[in-house]
Amino acid sequence: MKKIQSALLILLLLTSFTSFSQGKPGNVTISGKLIDQETKQPLEFATVTIQTTDNNTVNGAMTDEKGSYSVQVPAGTYNIKFDFISFKSQVISNKTITADTDLGSVIMAPDATLLKTVEIRAERSTVDIKLDKKVYNVGQDMIVKGGTISDVLDNVPSVTVDVEGNVSLRGNESVTIMIDGKPSNLYGANLADVLRVLPADSVDKIEVITNPSARYDAEGGGGIINIILKKGKAQGFNGSVTANTGDPANHGIMGNLNFRTEKFNFFTNLGYNYRNSPGNSMTDSEYFDGDGNTTSFINERRTNERKRKGYNATVGFEWDIDTTFSWTNSVSARNSNGDNPTDTYYYNYFADGTFNNTRYRYNLEDEEDRNFNYSTSFLKKFNGDGHELKVDATISRSTDDENSQISDMILGSTNPDDSSTERTLNHEEEKRTLVQADYVLPLGEESRFEAGYRGSFTQMDTDARAEILDDAGVWQPNANFSSMLEYNEYVNAFYAQYGSKFGEKFSYLLGLRWEDSNIDVNLLSADDFNKKKYNNFFPSAFLTYEFSEGTSANISYSRRINRPRGRFINPFSSLQSNINIFQGNPDLNPSMTDAFDIGYLKKWDKVTLSSSAYFNITNDSFQFVRRTEDALPGETPVTYVSPINLAKEYRFGFELTANYNPFRWWKLNANFNFFRVETDGDYSWTYTNTDGEVITDYQNFDNTAYSWFTRASSKMNLPWKIDWQINGTYNAPQNTAQGRNLGIMHFNTALSKDVLKEKATVTLNVSDIFNSNKRKGYTNLPTVSSYSEWQWRQRQVTLSFTYRFNMNKQQRMKEERQNGGGDDEYMGG
């Protein structure tokens, strides 16, 4: 199986092509090439007509798959005409031809009049590579049809999503996720759950910004990922509806509807889905005493079913009050509920390997998330040169209830002490308010000044309780796994930046951001109050040099911050396992990152190449530490996993992204990232052992690890107008300070065909073809050594049907240009 997977990945990464030329005999040869002005792609099957000056046709030809043509005529003076359906005709008049002549590339522009009557979908490159960021256009990606935003992100170059839903950018989990330019936590506190509920069909594009400028929020040491949702811009009433079904259960319906007039644009996004995501895990552990002698073995096997129903709705309007002033409002609501029954078996063995007993633990968990979000935005344009003021405000309210009941027993035992019943009750409420103002002032033709303010205010209360059912049938509190956490965060920020060009080749952008943070992390159940007040400057600088059109390089620097939130600071989350427990750390401090990046971009006719080298220095970086404490004779030691601030982290890497279109019917994209991570720090902790002694343990976490990951994607237009897409991802092994993570490889594929006169599309996709997307690794501690595997979701097969109405080619091309073209910031991102 691994050989098959490797062969597929190599096939996607290594491609070759051949070129050929063909001509006809004749006195004189006229040749050249036709190019689509919008897509920069060659025009296949366009018509070339050679006429005399009195409009008599002498000869003609059609362009091949490369847009090239070659036609023979006698020497003379001619009118050379180029025609292609839905494009404006081009004519070269009174051209005297006395010898073989190459007319070079002729640019063909779409004809707006003809386009109104043509019903055909416009194609765009899946990945648009720019010097400062990559824009991933989701609309043409069949792989994610019927999936979630989490599935979309897992197909974006430079981005990986692990089995727990954690998102990494270039191997760095300290990344900020934004939705429509706003923090994703406005949509709910649990980011992984939010990304797994919102449907993929609601996404228009993904922007990956590896080194943001001062205009952006300073949050996220690894960069920013901005998820832009669909909002129709075509005139009239139009939209699309997508229905899907799959196995394991994946049923849903999603509608994107839009009505635009000259002054108003009403848009809505409605969706429902039901998903069952069965998963499994295993952990084989060997336990040791203080002298390194084996004391026992435990093999843990877990299966679970994540059943979830989700509803989401967004309704809004844009009002162009006049030609200089517009107002946008939107309201979104989300409700997600479901249960997750989990069966866990612990197979216990004595030190000599003989069987002891089997313990069974059943956890029935149910969860409901609710979120409400209101946004308003004003845009004032003072003139047509970009002088403008934009003001945004958003309020968000979220609640999350997660409860579970757990039964634990030793199979076959009649001893009442060998069984227990527990329950956990978690209630979380979150209120967020965001206010932002951005002012842009052009200074002449080559310079621009920007300034702005951003206020982010958060209040979050978490009540987490654990209880044990006693012999009398009364629930008794378990203080070890109960907490009342109050988290308040108030951040005020101001920024200013100036960009300009000097000469024909150089441009620069200099910025400075100041953020004042006031944070309270209060563990009310333990009378532990932590107030963190700090303010920081975040400078940024970008320098760009353009060698020629399509070839440029830049160097950039920015300072970033990563504030701990949610699960990282909550002392208690769940008790699915009572021997492997995650505990948050309320005393975590933010980490600070200095990020340096050097980039190079080169575009050819069929190839776009983007490369970068980056270096990050992070102080007080977050690291996950595993520790075990002594247990009474016959009991199993408990392993705790917690995040800590661990001194310094040095991260160096190299990234290469390439788009290659060998033919009009074949598009290839590949991304490769290699990185080196060095951590430098020590960690010690104290606990009381079974004899009542206070013990201090120490571990050195100095570690240097090398790793890499690659992703490749191929999209082909097959006969009978069938599209086929396949991609593969490989994450290489990586050493950690406490073990080693093994390599992971997985593949996704999809087939798609337009039906109903190309107004609808049927797509069949398979996620994780070989069922191989599992996290695997070893953990080595002084008292325990273990090997584990974890699969969040098994192989998924999904069939989807999309119907589009009242959208002709002109409207679609216009909408894609508006949604995908142009940067929302001057130079540098």
Side-chain angles (χ1 to χ4, degrees):
M1 183 68 72
K2 290 184 178 180
K3 291 182 178 179
I4 296 175
Q5 296 174 13
S6 300
L8 279 172
L9 191 60
I10 293 171
L11 178 63
L12 290 172
L13 288 170
L14 303 177
T15 62
S16 62
F17 68 96
T18 60
S19 62
F20 61 91
S21 61
Q22 183 177 342
K24 285 192 217 176
N27 296 328
V28 178
T29 300
I30 302 175
S31 60
K33 189 174 185 178
L34 300 186
I35 301 296
D36 184 341
Q37 178 181 326
E38 296 291 338
T39 66
K40 308 304 181 186
Q41 296 297 309
L43 285 176
E44 186 179 4
F45 303 124
T47 302
V48 182
T49 306
I50 313 298
Q51 296 178 328
T52 61
T53 54
D54 55 358
N55 295 326
N56 292 320
T57 300
V58 176
N59 203 350
M62 296 186 71
T63 57
D64 61 15
E65 70 272 11
K66 299 178 181 179
S68 301
Y69 63 91
S70 178
V71 60
Q72 291 78 38
V73 296
T77 301
Y78 299 100
N79 295 330
I80 306 170
K81 187 177 181 181
F82 308 96
D83 296 285
F84 190 66
I85 185 171
S86 75
F87 282 75
K88 294 178 181 179
S89 297
Q90 299 287 338
V91 179
I92 300 176
S93 301
N94 297 319
K95 180 72 174 178
T96 299
I97 306 294
T98 58
D100 292 350
T101 302
D102 185 355
L103 298 177
S105 295
V106 175
I107 306 301
M108 302 283 286
D111 189 328
T113 303
L114 291 176
L115 283 172
K116 291 180 180 178
T117 62
V118 178
E119 285 288 343
I120 183 171
R121 285 183 300 128
E123 284 284 341
R124 286 178 55 86
S125 299
T126 300
V127 183
D128 184 12
I129 302 175
K130 301 181 180 182
L131 189 62
D132 58 330
K133 62 185 175 184
K134 301 180 185 69
V135 181
Y136 175 81
N137 299 291
V138 179
Q140 297 297 332
D141 194 343
M142 304 176 292
I143 294 289
V144 299
K145 286 291 183 183
T148 67
I149 291 183
S150 186
D151 297 316
V152 175
L153 291 175
D154 200 30
N155 286 277
V156 175
S158 308
V159 179
T160 55
V161 182
D162 68 14
V163 295
E164 295 180 276
N166 300 313
V167 180
S168 300
L169 177 56
R170 300 199 296 199
N172 191 343
E173 290 189 4
S174 300
V175 58
T176 292
I177 308 294
M178 306 182 78
I179 299 178
D180 284 336
K182 302 177 180 65
S184 58
N185 45 32
L186 289 171
Y187 291 79
N190 192 325
L191 175 59
D193 285 346
V194 171
L195 299 179
R196 285 168 172 164
V197 170
L198 294 178
D201 290 299
S202 66
V203 181
D204 179 35
K205 62 183 178 180
I206 306 289
E207 292 182 337
V208 177
I209 309 168
T210 53
N211 208 9
S213 70
R215 179 184 182 184
Y216 290 95
D217 183 13
E219 185 77 29
I224 292 175
I225 298 173
N226 187 22
I227 302 167
I228 299 177
L229 303 180
K230 289 179 179 177
K231 184 169 58 177
K233 295 183 180 296
Q235 290 288 334
F237 180 65
N238 53 79
S240 64
V241 176
T242 299
N244 63 271
T245 186
D247 181 53
N250 179 20
H251 315 304
I253 185 167
M254 175 76 192
N256 295 288
L257 308 176
N258 183 76
F259 178 72
R260 174 177 283 276
T261 65
E262 185 177 348
K263 289 199 172 279
F264 286 92
N265 179 31
F266 297 92
F267 55 90
T268 182
N269 187 307
L270 306 172
Y272 164 80
N273 64 76
Y274 170 78
R275 291 186 175 90
N276 180 12
S277 303
N280 61 84
S281 68
M282 60 160 286
T283 302
D284 293 342
S285 302
E286 180 179 3
Y287 294 87
F288 309 97
D289 61 19
D291 298 323
N293 300 313
T294 300
T295 58
S296 62
F297 298 89
I298 298 179
N299 295 338
E300 178 182 329
R301 300 292 182 269
R302 181 186 303 175
T303 58
N304 59 281
E305 293 186 42
R306 296 179 178 87
K307 301 175 182 178
R308 184 174 292 272
K309 290 188 296 184
Y311 308 84
N312 64 279
T314 299
V315 179
F317 72 89
E318 297 172 313
W319 179 20
D320 294 327
I321 299 173
D322 58 36
T323 57
T324 66
F325 189 55
S326 63
W327 182 29
T328 302
N329 288 269
S330 67
V331 176
S332 65
R334 178 179 61 85
N335 181 277
S336 173
N337 60 80
D339 56 69
N340 180 22
T342 302
D343 297 281
T344 306
Y345 291 87
Y346 301 91
Y347 301 98
N348 299 288
Y349 299 87
F350 294 110
D352 60 2
T354 58
F355 178 75
N356 180 6
N357 59 46
T358 299
R359 188 160 62 88
Y360 170 66
R361 188 174 180 85
Y362 177 71
N363 182 7
L364 180 59
E365 177 186 283
D366 62 82
E367 181 178 5
E368 182 173 10
D369 301 334
R370 295 167 297 278
N371 173 263
F372 173 83
N373 190 308
Y374 168 71
S375 295
T376 186
S377 175
F378 296 90
L379 176 62
K380 172 64 177 177
K381 296 181 179 181
F382 298 99
N383 55 43
D385 297 328
H387 185 195
E388 63 183 39
L389 172 67
K390 185 178 182 182
V391 180
D392 298 275
T394 302
I395 59 172
S396 172
R397 300 292 183 265
S398 300
T399 60
D400 183 357
D401 289 292
E402 182 179 311
N403 305 312
S404 62
Q405 185 156 322
I406 307 165
S407 59
D408 191 300
M409 67 189 72
I410 294 179
L411 298 182
S413 174
T414 58
N415 186 345
D417 294 335
D418 290 336
S419 62
S420 63
T421 301
E422 304 169 272
R423 70 179 182 185
T424 62
L425 304 100
N426 292 270
H427 177 75
E428 183 173 274
E429 293 186 2
E430 185 173 28
K431 301 176 182 179
R432 287 183 176 270
T433 303
L434 178 69
V435 179
Q436 184 166 334
D438 298 287
Y439 176 72
V440 180
L441 175 65
L443 301 172
E445 295 183 358
E446 303 291 347
S447 302
R448 184 156 150 170
F449 171 77
E450 297 185 32
Y453 162 79
R454 183 179 187 273
S456 176
F457 313 105
T458 302
Q459 296 176 309
M460 183 173 66
D461 297 318
T462 304
D463 181 9
R465 288 176 288 156
E467 298 175 341
I468 301 175
L469 189 66
D470 64 17
D471 295 338
V474 178
W475 290 104
Q476 300 293 337
N478 183 350
N480 293 328
F481 301 107
S482 298
S483 64
M484 177 73 76
L485 181 69
E486 179 185 76
Y487 180 83
N488 299 317
E489 177 185 286
Y490 308 99
V491 180
N492 290 279
F494 296 88
Y495 79 90
Q497 61 183 22
Y498 176 78
S500 185
K501 293 182 179 180
F502 52 95
E504 295 294 327
K505 301 292 185 180
F506 282 98
S507 61
Y508 64 90
L509 177 66
L510 303 176
L512 182 64
R513 187 180 186 90
W514 179 78
E515 293 191 354
D516 179 71
S517 304
N518 289 273
I519 299 175
D520 296 320
V521 185
N522 301 324
L523 193 59
L524 303 181
S525 53
D527 291 329
D528 183 8
F529 299 89
N530 296 276
K531 188 172 186 62
K532 303 177 186 294
K533 181 177 174 59
Y534 49 87
N535 54 73
N536 307 92
F537 285 99
F538 299 93
S540 63
F542 296 78
L543 178 64
T544 302
Y545 181 79
E546 185 175 0
F547 296 95
S548 61
E549 184 178 358
T551 304
S552 54
N554 80 340
I555 183 170
S556 62
Y557 163 78
S558 69
R559 195 163 192 241
R560 313 288 298 161
I561 189 172
N562 196 27
R563 299 180 181 90
R565 298 185 181 92
R567 182 170 178 257
F568 277 63
I569 61 174
N570 192 346
F572 171 69
S573 57
S574 73
L575 278 174
Q576 281 193 353
S577 171
N578 61 352
I579 63 172
N580 293 287
I581 297 175
F582 180 91
Q583 280 191 328
N585 179 5
D587 201 33
L588 268 183
N589 293 314
S591 61
M592 305 290 293
T593 298
D594 292 286
F596 303 85
D597 204 300
I598 300 175
Y600 177 78
L601 178 67
K602 174 68 176 179
K603 293 183 178 180
W604 293 273
D605 287 343
K606 295 185 176 182
V607 178
T608 300
L609 181 67
S610 172
S611 61
S612 64
Y614 55 92
F615 178 55
N616 294 352
I617 303 174
T618 302
N619 292 296
D620 292 325
S621 67
F622 306 152
Q623 299 291 326
F624 290 100
V625 173
R626 290 175 170 82
R627 68 186 190 278
T628 58
E629 299 178 2
D630 286 351
L632 294 171
E635 293 187 355
T636 302
V638 178
T639 299
Y640 296 91
V641 180
S642 298
I644 63 168
N645 293 112
L646 186 65
K648 277 195 173 185
E649 178 186 277
Y650 303 89
R651 180 181 294 267
F652 168 79
F654 171 80
E655 184 176 44
L656 184 67
T657 302
N659 288 343
Y660 176 41
N661 298 339
F663 308 102
R664 287 178 60 86
W665 51 269
W666 192 10
K667 297 179 181 181
L668 295 163
N669 170 263
N671 172 249
F672 174 81
N673 183 73
F674 170 84
F675 59 93
R676 175 188 184 273
V677 181
E678 178 183 345
T679 54
D680 180 14
D682 303 314
Y683 177 65
S684 62
W685 68 93
T686 60
Y687 63 93
T688 303
N689 67 8
T690 55
D691 296 327
E693 301 173 325
V694 177
I695 304 297
T696 299
D697 273 353
Y698 163 86
Q699 187 171 355
N700 183 281
F701 278 84
D702 293 352
N703 181 63
T704 300
Y706 297 85
S707 190
W708 57 274
F709 67 83
T710 186
R711 178 184 289 114
S713 178
S714 169
K715 183 179 180 182
M716 292 183 178
N717 302 123
L718 302 178
W720 302 291
K721 295 184 179 181
I722 296 175
D723 293 334
W724 175 43
Q725 184 175 343
I726 183 171
N727 65 24
T729 301
Y730 178 71
N731 292 278
Q734 180 178 349
N735 291 327
T736 69
Q738 294 182 315
R740 177 176 174 81
N741 298 324
L742 302 185
I744 304 175
M745 181 184 293
H746 66 276
F747 292 86
N748 307 315
T749 191
L751 290 168
S752 176
K753 178 173 174 56
D754 288 340
V755 296
L756 301 179
K757 297 181 180 181
E758 298 187 341
K759 292 184 178 180
T761 303
V762 178
T763 303
L764 176 68
N765 65 45
V766 182
S767 176
D768 195 10
I769 300 173
F770 301 104
N771 210 34
S772 57
N773 191 12
K774 300 179 180 181
R775 188 183 68 185
K776 303 177 182 180
Y778 293 92
T779 300
N780 298 306
L781 302 176
T783 57
V784 61
S785 177
S786 64
Y787 169 78
S788 62
E789 294 183 4
W790 189 1
Q791 184 177 29
W792 187 86
R793 183 183 64 184
Q794 299 175 10
R795 175 175 48 235
Q796 180 81 52
V797 180
T798 302
L799 178 67
S800 66
F801 175 81
T802 300
Y803 182 80
R804 299 170 295 274
F805 50 91
N806 294 343
M807 292 188 70
N808 57 39
K809 182 178 179 180
Q810 179 193 22
Q811 292 171 325
R812 290 175 191 155
M813 291 182 68
K814 179 180 178 181
E815 182 169 339
E816 288 189 336
R817 287 197 299 269
Q818 290 173 329
N819 289 346
D823 294 334
D824 58 359
E825 183 172 352
Y826 182 74
M827 293 178 298

